[in-house]
Amino acid sequence: MPIQMPDYHNCGVNVVSSIANACGLTPDHQTHPFVDALLQKKSYKNIILMLFDGMGVDLLQKMLPEDAFLRSHLRHTLSAVFPSTTTCATTAIECGQMPCEHAWLGWTLRFPQINQSVDVYTNQNDRGEVAAEYHVGNRFIPRDFIYPRINACGKYKACSVSFFGDIKIKTLPELFETVLSLAKDNEKRYIYAYWPEPDSSMHRHGCYHEKCLAQLVDINDRVEKLVSQLPEDTLLLLTADHGLIDADIRYLDDYPDLMAMLVHDATMELRALSFHVKPEYKVLFPAAFEKHFGGHFRMVTQKEFIKTYLGPGNVRENVYDFVGDYVAISLDEMTLMNHRPSFLQIGHHAGLTCQEMQVPLIVAKE
């Protein structure tokens, strides 16, 4: 199965770095030449970046006809950051930082400060309980969002529109209405807008289910309508955080020899698993894992993972806590869960397949 390594010269961080530069903020990372050229065409009143979770290039090409608005305006293929997952990728875009810098590497991270594995969005531990009376992720790995830094430059006003953004919305129509309203006011704006589909439907029903198609067609039609309503001096870009793949699930519970070697359950992501190994098994673990899953995963050490997969920049100290002794990265459909869940998702992400790693850069309006 074709795979793609993360390309940190052609990813969402580079796109946001170009936007930040146009907004008067000196970016921390290399800008994207294609986006730079777009931004140099004119002085835009509005720069809008809309991110639709899970809307990878593979999904667009397999589910929409060539003349659909989103496909016909697909101008460039970007690389997802790694791990190719929402936690990591949206944080990279909202902060303009590489994964090694922001440290929001995956859904479940091991926090030595409280000796628990925590789902950083829900703040729950691996028993489904509230991990702490405070939000663990926000306390120990606070995010440095780019919006205040852009605002401090005084050239553009920056904001995020999402369930959890500066401007909170609850429905897809509300998201589009809010973006349009902001674009029509008197301020020069950078607007980032996020929506959790088609990712949610792909998790539940699989990547190519008719319900995913319905979500994609709805997004396509709403974007096309929005373009007809936006002011002329608006640049509207669309992208995604990652794509998905229909998974072949295996359970680590079924491999007691491996589980016995671990300090605790595997963390980070189901397709990019972080293993903290007991000292007496650190030499033996890679071979034991290879015996069961050889060819389906790439096993790398902590040092190699941080150096090769998490991008350039100053490595945040927490990264060393979150990345165990070894990381196993999925190269095909195979996906590993610690235990059998009460509800099984079909679509998954965070691996290296092209389906997960290739995301679009759609120029909807320029």
Side-chain angles (χ1 to χ4, degrees):
M1 179 169 285
I3 64 169
Q4 178 175 314
M5 290 291 289
D7 181 353
Y8 290 108
H9 301 288
N10 180 42
C11 70
V13 176
N14 306 118
V15 172
V16 171
S17 296
S18 292
I19 293 171
N21 188 56
C23 292
L25 176 66
T26 301
D28 295 327
H29 292 286
Q30 179 181 317
T31 61
H32 197 288
F34 177 79
V35 181
D36 289 340
L38 289 173
L39 288 164
Q40 289 165 6
K41 287 186 175 181
K42 64 177 78 171
S43 178
Y44 290 102
K45 174 188 174 293
N46 301 300
I47 303 170
I48 305 172
L49 178 64
M50 302 186 79
L51 188 148
F52 293 96
D53 202 318
M55 194 179 73
V57 170
D58 172 74
L59 181 72
L60 293 173
Q61 292 179 339
K62 289 181 179 176
M63 298 293 276
L64 291 179
E66 287 186 18
D67 61 353
F69 187 87
L70 295 181
R71 276 197 69 182
S72 64
H73 287 76
L74 173 56
R75 299 277 296 279
H76 191 80
T77 296
L78 299 169
S79 163
V81 300
F82 201 81
S84 49
T85 186
T86 303
T87 317
C88 184
T90 59
T91 303
I93 287 173
E94 288 207 76
C95 296
Q97 294 178 331
M98 297 296 178
C100 71
E101 297 172 310
H102 64 64
W104 285 65
L105 301 183
W107 181 262
T108 305
L109 301 175
R110 186 74 180 185
F111 288 86
Q113 298 91 338
I114 59 172
N115 196 32
Q116 293 186 70
S117 300
V118 180
D119 296 347
V120 291
Y121 279 169
T122 67
N123 205 39
Q124 293 180 326
N125 61 25
D126 50 12
R127 297 183 299 277
E129 304 164 343
V130 176
E133 61 184 13
Y134 51 86
H135 190 279
V136 175
N138 289 340
R139 172 170 291 192
F140 295 117
I141 42 173
R143 287 167 289 183
D144 181 18
F145 292 113
I146 201 167
Y147 316 112
R149 286 180 275 145
I150 289 176
N151 289 336
C153 295
K155 187 176 178 180
Y156 281 78
K157 286 198 172 182
C159 65
S160 61
V161 181
S162 71
F163 287 134
F164 313 106
D166 304 320
I167 302 173
K168 295 177 174 57
I169 52 89
K170 295 182 179 179
T171 67
L172 186 59
E174 189 180 1
L175 181 140
F176 277 91
E177 291 162 6
T178 302
V179 168
L180 180 60
S181 176
L182 289 168
K184 285 185 172 181
D185 71 14
N186 294 323
E187 300 287 352
K188 294 185 71 174
R189 291 193 178 274
Y190 166 51
I191 305 165
Y192 168 79
Y194 166 85
W195 187 247
E197 292 284 5
D199 176 87
S200 295
S201 294
M202 296 170 78
H203 278 304
R204 290 193 300 270
H205 305 293
C207 293
Y208 312 114
H209 193 276
E210 60 183 14
K211 292 188 177 180
C212 302
L213 174 60
Q215 291 287 342
L216 193 58
V217 169
D218 189 25
I219 291 167
N220 179 86
D221 294 347
R222 290 182 186 276
V223 170
E224 187 170 13
K225 181 180 178 181
L226 175 65
V227 167
S228 70
Q229 298 170 318
L230 284 169
E232 283 303 311
D233 51 353
T234 297
L235 177 65
L236 173 59
L237 305 176
L238 278 66
T239 191
D241 44 357
H242 55 77
L244 286 87
I245 189 170
D246 289 341
D248 174 16
I249 304 289
R250 306 294 171 88
Y251 304 97
L252 287 169
D253 267 349
D254 294 337
Y255 304 89
D257 58 325
L258 293 181
M259 294 296 279
M261 296 182 179
L262 302 179
V263 178
H264 51 72
D265 283 354
T267 55
M268 201 157 68
E269 286 284 343
L270 306 183
R271 294 177 54 74
L273 300 103
S274 172
F275 294 108
H276 290 81
V277 181
K278 294 175 182 176
E280 63 269 29
Y281 295 116
K282 286 186 179 180
V283 175
L284 300 175
F285 182 77
F289 185 91
E290 178 75 12
K291 180 180 70 174
H292 296 298
F293 305 114
H296 298 286
F297 287 83
R298 177 180 294 169
M299 178 74 75
V300 297
T301 64
Q302 180 191 78
K303 181 179 180 180
E304 182 182 355
F305 183 72
I306 294 172
K307 179 181 179 181
T308 305
Y309 290 87
L310 299 186
N314 296 320
V315 179
R316 194 168 184 168
E317 191 64 30
N318 312 76
V319 168
Y320 297 97
D321 296 327
F322 300 151
V323 179
D325 302 288
Y326 299 99
V327 176
I329 304 166
S330 183
L331 305 176
D332 57 23
E333 298 93 346
M334 191 172 289
T335 302
L336 294 179
M337 303 184 73
N338 290 298
H339 316 288
R340 283 173 169 77
S342 56
F343 171 74
L344 188 63
Q345 294 182 326
I346 300 173
H348 287 267
H349 51 81
L352 274 181
T353 69
C354 290
Q355 289 99 311
E356 298 158 281
M357 289 297 297
Q358 293 181 351
V359 296
L361 182 59
I362 296 167
V363 183
K365 182 176 177 60
E366 60 179 297

